[in-house]
Amino acid sequence: MTPRAPLATTSRPSPWPQTAGTVALLTAITSMLLIAFAWPSARSSLHDVPIAVAGPTSAAGQVRAALDQRAPGGFDITEVADTAAAEQLIRDREVYGAIDLSTGSPQVIVASAGSTAVAQTLQSMAAGLAQASQPAAPSGVRDIAALPADDPRGAGLSAGAMPLVMGGLMGAVLLTRLVRGSGRRVTGALGYSICGGLAVAAILQFWFGSLSGNYLANAGAVASTIAATSLTILGLESLLGFAGIGIGAVVMMLVGNPLSGTSTAPEMLPGWSGMLGQLMPPGAGGQLLRSTAFFEGRGIAQAVTVLAAWVALGAVLCLIGGLRARRTAELSSTLTEAVAA
């Protein structure tokens, strides 16, 4: 009986330098993930948060000085004459809240639907002024744009930011793998955005109770966010191949999502990051959804412009990629025919 020969080794173990390099790469990736998601929260503070102060100029000046002393550079204060003017600024999403000194009983007016974190900060600041016996310190709190009773902390709205980005990314990946043709991919992305917007808005509004307002307007806000993300990644993939998907995922998930300010407010993020986040689909989409759900669509101009620009960019990139692929195919066909002749 012939003995069996030992199985041959198909490949040798990787060199130790390669192993060490892989470990270093994984460590760098993990560190970047931590920085991307933890840095905005760890360095969260007040940076020129717009609020209003209603009342006489002398009393407003005293409150301004007291706030500057407690939180230097924390608030961008607009002085108005009365309660109605302050409330209008809040409803138009020009300020997050107001300190009202124009009536006999000073109070804080907040809009927790605009930002729970800012509303809580204003309340704590007012309490601090009262404890310090500051002149005309507010004694009451009134919420004119409250979150729904089923989700008073806005947890569903905050937690929904990541699934929207992931949904746009997964939509782009599946469309590139299952659908051929730039026109069909763009059509598929738009169709998916509409269906996804209707589904996500229905879950948030009718099941979780996290949204108020007009359902179709909320669905439109969600659909716009998904479309901006998926079309941009589709366009990058049409130009750069698989690398385009990686670049799009990094931009949307590791930059856009952490800097969206959805769970706090853009003005509470460190330095320039809040402004940058509002120029990307996750941040613009979050602000648009808050406006449609709780402020009757007021203050949506910037968010709509940003999302429309990303959708247009993605469509143009898809068009360029499709034309290039068609030209390449025609050239290949011509060369094949020439060789066959």
PDB file of all heavy atoms in Angstrom, residues 66-67 69-70 124-138:
ATOM      1  N   ALA A  66     -24.342  89.417  32.442  1.00  0.00           N
ATOM      2  CA  ALA A  66     -24.317  88.250  33.327  1.00  0.00           C
ATOM      3  C   ALA A  66     -24.043  86.965  32.544  1.00  0.00           C
ATOM      4  O   ALA A  66     -23.263  86.104  32.994  1.00  0.00           O
ATOM      5  CB  ALA A  66     -25.645  88.137  34.068  1.00  0.00           C
ATOM      6  N   LEU A  67     -24.643  86.834  31.356  1.00  0.00           N
ATOM      7  CA  LEU A  67     -24.410  85.632  30.540  1.00  0.00           C
ATOM      8  C   LEU A  67     -22.970  85.594  30.021  1.00  0.00           C
ATOM      9  O   LEU A  67     -22.350  84.528  29.978  1.00  0.00           O
ATOM     10  CB  LEU A  67     -25.384  85.592  29.374  1.00  0.00           C
ATOM     11  CG  LEU A  67     -26.860  85.333  29.719  1.00  0.00           C
ATOM     12  CD1 LEU A  67     -27.724  85.417  28.464  1.00  0.00           C
ATOM     13  CD2 LEU A  67     -27.045  83.980  30.388  1.00  0.00           C
ATOM     14  N   GLN A  69     -20.461  86.759  31.493  1.00  0.00           N
ATOM     15  CA  GLN A  69     -19.593  86.417  32.619  1.00  0.00           C
ATOM     16  C   GLN A  69     -19.633  84.917  32.914  1.00  0.00           C
ATOM     17  O   GLN A  69     -18.606  84.306  33.203  1.00  0.00           O
ATOM     18  CB  GLN A  69     -20.019  87.198  33.864  1.00  0.00           C
ATOM     19  CG  GLN A  69     -19.148  86.933  35.089  1.00  0.00           C
ATOM     20  CD  GLN A  69     -19.611  87.749  36.291  1.00  0.00           C
ATOM     21  OE1 GLN A  69     -20.629  88.436  36.236  1.00  0.00           O
ATOM     22  NE2 GLN A  69     -18.868  87.670  37.373  1.00  0.00           N
ATOM     23  N   ARG A  70     -20.807  84.328  32.799  1.00  0.00           N
ATOM     24  CA  ARG A  70     -20.940  82.908  33.100  1.00  0.00           C
ATOM     25  C   ARG A  70     -20.492  82.012  31.944  1.00  0.00           C
ATOM     26  O   ARG A  70     -19.975  80.919  32.178  1.00  0.00           O
ATOM     27  CB  ARG A  70     -22.402  82.574  33.452  1.00  0.00           C
ATOM     28  CG  ARG A  70     -22.822  83.113  34.811  1.00  0.00           C
ATOM     29  CD  ARG A  70     -24.267  82.760  35.107  1.00  0.00           C
ATOM     30  NE  ARG A  70     -24.556  83.055  36.492  1.00  0.00           N
ATOM     31  CZ  ARG A  70     -24.400  82.200  37.500  1.00  0.00           C
ATOM     32  NH1 ARG A  70     -23.960  80.975  37.239  1.00  0.00           N
ATOM     33  NH2 ARG A  70     -24.665  82.541  38.734  1.00  0.00           N
ATOM     34  N   SER A 124     -30.844  76.092  32.870  1.00  0.00           N
ATOM     35  CA  SER A 124     -29.841  76.061  33.935  1.00  0.00           C
ATOM     36  C   SER A 124     -29.170  77.423  34.099  1.00  0.00           C
ATOM     37  O   SER A 124     -28.866  77.842  35.222  1.00  0.00           O
ATOM     38  CB  SER A 124     -28.796  74.985  33.648  1.00  0.00           C
ATOM     39  OG  SER A 124     -28.080  75.282  32.466  1.00  0.00           O
ATOM     40  N   MET A 125     -28.937  78.129  32.984  1.00  0.00           N
ATOM     41  CA  MET A 125     -28.374  79.469  33.077  1.00  0.00           C
ATOM     42  C   MET A 125     -29.312  80.402  33.819  1.00  0.00           C
ATOM     43  O   MET A 125     -28.888  81.205  34.671  1.00  0.00           O
ATOM     44  CB  MET A 125     -28.105  80.019  31.665  1.00  0.00           C
ATOM     45  CG  MET A 125     -26.879  79.436  31.009  1.00  0.00           C
ATOM     46  SD  MET A 125     -25.357  80.084  31.737  1.00  0.00           S
ATOM     47  CE  MET A 125     -24.135  79.216  30.766  1.00  0.00           C
ATOM     48  N   ALA A 126     -30.601  80.323  33.508  1.00  0.00           N
ATOM     49  CA  ALA A 126     -31.577  81.170  34.185  1.00  0.00           C
ATOM     50  C   ALA A 126     -31.641  80.858  35.676  1.00  0.00           C
ATOM     51  O   ALA A 126     -31.727  81.758  36.514  1.00  0.00           O
ATOM     52  CB  ALA A 126     -32.947  80.986  33.547  1.00  0.00           C
ATOM     53  N   ALA A 127     -31.579  79.554  35.997  1.00  0.00           N
ATOM     54  CA  ALA A 127     -31.575  79.173  37.413  1.00  0.00           C
ATOM     55  C   ALA A 127     -30.334  79.715  38.119  1.00  0.00           C
ATOM     56  O   ALA A 127     -30.401  80.171  39.264  1.00  0.00           O
ATOM     57  CB  ALA A 127     -31.647  77.655  37.538  1.00  0.00           C
ATOM     58  N   GLY A 128     -29.204  79.681  37.436  1.00  0.00           N
ATOM     59  CA  GLY A 128     -27.980  80.216  38.018  1.00  0.00           C
ATOM     60  C   GLY A 128     -28.059  81.710  38.249  1.00  0.00           C
ATOM     61  O   GLY A 128     -27.587  82.218  39.276  1.00  0.00           O
ATOM     62  N   LEU A 129     -28.665  82.429  37.307  1.00  0.00           N
ATOM     63  CA  LEU A 129     -28.824  83.874  37.494  1.00  0.00           C
ATOM     64  C   LEU A 129     -29.733  84.169  38.672  1.00  0.00           C
ATOM     65  O   LEU A 129     -29.493  85.107  39.441  1.00  0.00           O
ATOM     66  CB  LEU A 129     -29.399  84.499  36.220  1.00  0.00           C
ATOM     67  CG  LEU A 129     -28.510  84.475  34.972  1.00  0.00           C
ATOM     68  CD1 LEU A 129     -29.245  85.086  33.792  1.00  0.00           C
ATOM     69  CD2 LEU A 129     -27.211  85.229  35.222  1.00  0.00           C
ATOM     70  N   ALA A 130     -30.796  83.382  38.815  1.00  0.00           N
ATOM     71  CA  ALA A 130     -31.715  83.598  39.930  1.00  0.00           C
ATOM     72  C   ALA A 130     -31.033  83.337  41.265  1.00  0.00           C
ATOM     73  O   ALA A 130     -31.206  84.074  42.237  1.00  0.00           O
ATOM     74  CB  ALA A 130     -32.938  82.704  39.772  1.00  0.00           C
ATOM     75  N   GLN A 131     -30.242  82.265  41.335  1.00  0.00           N
ATOM     76  CA  GLN A 131     -29.542  81.942  42.586  1.00  0.00           C
ATOM     77  C   GLN A 131     -28.507  82.999  42.939  1.00  0.00           C
ATOM     78  O   GLN A 131     -28.226  83.258  44.096  1.00  0.00           O
ATOM     79  CB  GLN A 131     -28.879  80.578  42.472  1.00  0.00           C
ATOM     80  CG  GLN A 131     -29.874  79.426  42.405  1.00  0.00           C
ATOM     81  CD  GLN A 131     -29.195  78.092  42.177  1.00  0.00           C
ATOM     82  OE1 GLN A 131     -27.971  78.006  42.065  1.00  0.00           O
ATOM     83  NE2 GLN A 131     -30.001  77.023  42.095  1.00  0.00           N
ATOM     84  N   ALA A 132     -27.953  83.622  41.885  1.00  0.00           N
ATOM     85  CA  ALA A 132     -26.953  84.663  42.122  1.00  0.00           C
ATOM     86  C   ALA A 132     -27.595  86.022  42.362  1.00  0.00           C
ATOM     87  O   ALA A 132     -26.896  87.031  42.470  1.00  0.00           O
ATOM     88  CB  ALA A 132     -26.002  84.748  40.934  1.00  0.00           C
ATOM     89  N   SER A 133     -28.946  86.055  42.421  1.00  0.00           N
ATOM     90  CA  SER A 133     -29.682  87.286  42.658  1.00  0.00           C
ATOM     91  C   SER A 133     -29.367  88.351  41.622  1.00  0.00           C
ATOM     92  O   SER A 133     -29.221  89.540  41.942  1.00  0.00           O
ATOM     93  CB  SER A 133     -29.389  87.822  44.080  1.00  0.00           C
ATOM     94  OG  SER A 133     -29.771  86.881  45.049  1.00  0.00           O
ATOM     95  N   GLN A 134     -29.259  87.922  40.373  1.00  0.00           N
ATOM     96  CA  GLN A 134     -29.031  88.874  39.298  1.00  0.00           C
ATOM     97  C   GLN A 134     -30.295  89.704  39.074  1.00  0.00           C
ATOM     98  O   GLN A 134     -31.409  89.212  39.264  1.00  0.00           O
ATOM     99  CB  GLN A 134     -28.662  88.140  38.005  1.00  0.00           C
ATOM    100  CG  GLN A 134     -27.348  87.396  38.072  1.00  0.00           C
ATOM    101  CD  GLN A 134     -26.149  88.327  38.048  1.00  0.00           C
ATOM    102  OE1 GLN A 134     -26.291  89.499  37.737  1.00  0.00           O
ATOM    103  NE2 GLN A 134     -24.986  87.814  38.393  1.00  0.00           N
ATOM    104  N   PRO A 135     -30.152  90.963  38.663  1.00  0.00           N
ATOM    105  CA  PRO A 135     -31.323  91.797  38.405  1.00  0.00           C
ATOM    106  C   PRO A 135     -32.212  91.184  37.322  1.00  0.00           C
ATOM    107  O   PRO A 135     -31.728  90.709  36.296  1.00  0.00           O
ATOM    108  CB  PRO A 135     -30.717  93.123  37.920  1.00  0.00           C
ATOM    109  CG  PRO A 135     -29.313  93.120  38.449  1.00  0.00           C
ATOM    110  CD  PRO A 135     -28.887  91.685  38.469  1.00  0.00           C
ATOM    111  N   ALA A 136     -33.489  91.189  37.567  1.00  0.00           N
ATOM    112  CA  ALA A 136     -34.474  90.703  36.601  1.00  0.00           C
ATOM    113  C   ALA A 136     -34.210  89.267  36.169  1.00  0.00           C
ATOM    114  O   ALA A 136     -34.381  88.910  35.015  1.00  0.00           O
ATOM    115  CB  ALA A 136     -34.518  91.614  35.378  1.00  0.00           C
ATOM    116  N   ALA A 137     -33.762  88.428  37.090  1.00  0.00           N
ATOM    117  CA  ALA A 137     -33.496  87.031  36.750  1.00  0.00           C
ATOM    118  C   ALA A 137     -34.799  86.305  36.435  1.00  0.00           C
ATOM    119  O   ALA A 137     -35.791  86.467  37.148  1.00  0.00           O
ATOM    120  CB  ALA A 137     -32.778  86.341  37.907  1.00  0.00           C
ATOM    121  N   PRO A 138     -34.846  85.503  35.348  1.00  0.00           N
ATOM    122  CA  PRO A 138     -36.072  84.789  34.987  1.00  0.00           C
ATOM    123  C   PRO A 138     -36.470  83.791  36.067  1.00  0.00           C
ATOM    124  O   PRO A 138     -35.622  83.152  36.695  1.00  0.00           O
ATOM    125  CB  PRO A 138     -35.702  84.077  33.688  1.00  0.00           C
ATOM    126  CG  PRO A 138     -34.505  84.810  33.175  1.00  0.00           C
ATOM    127  CD  PRO A 138     -33.766  85.280  34.377  1.00  0.00           C
TER     128      PRO A 138
END
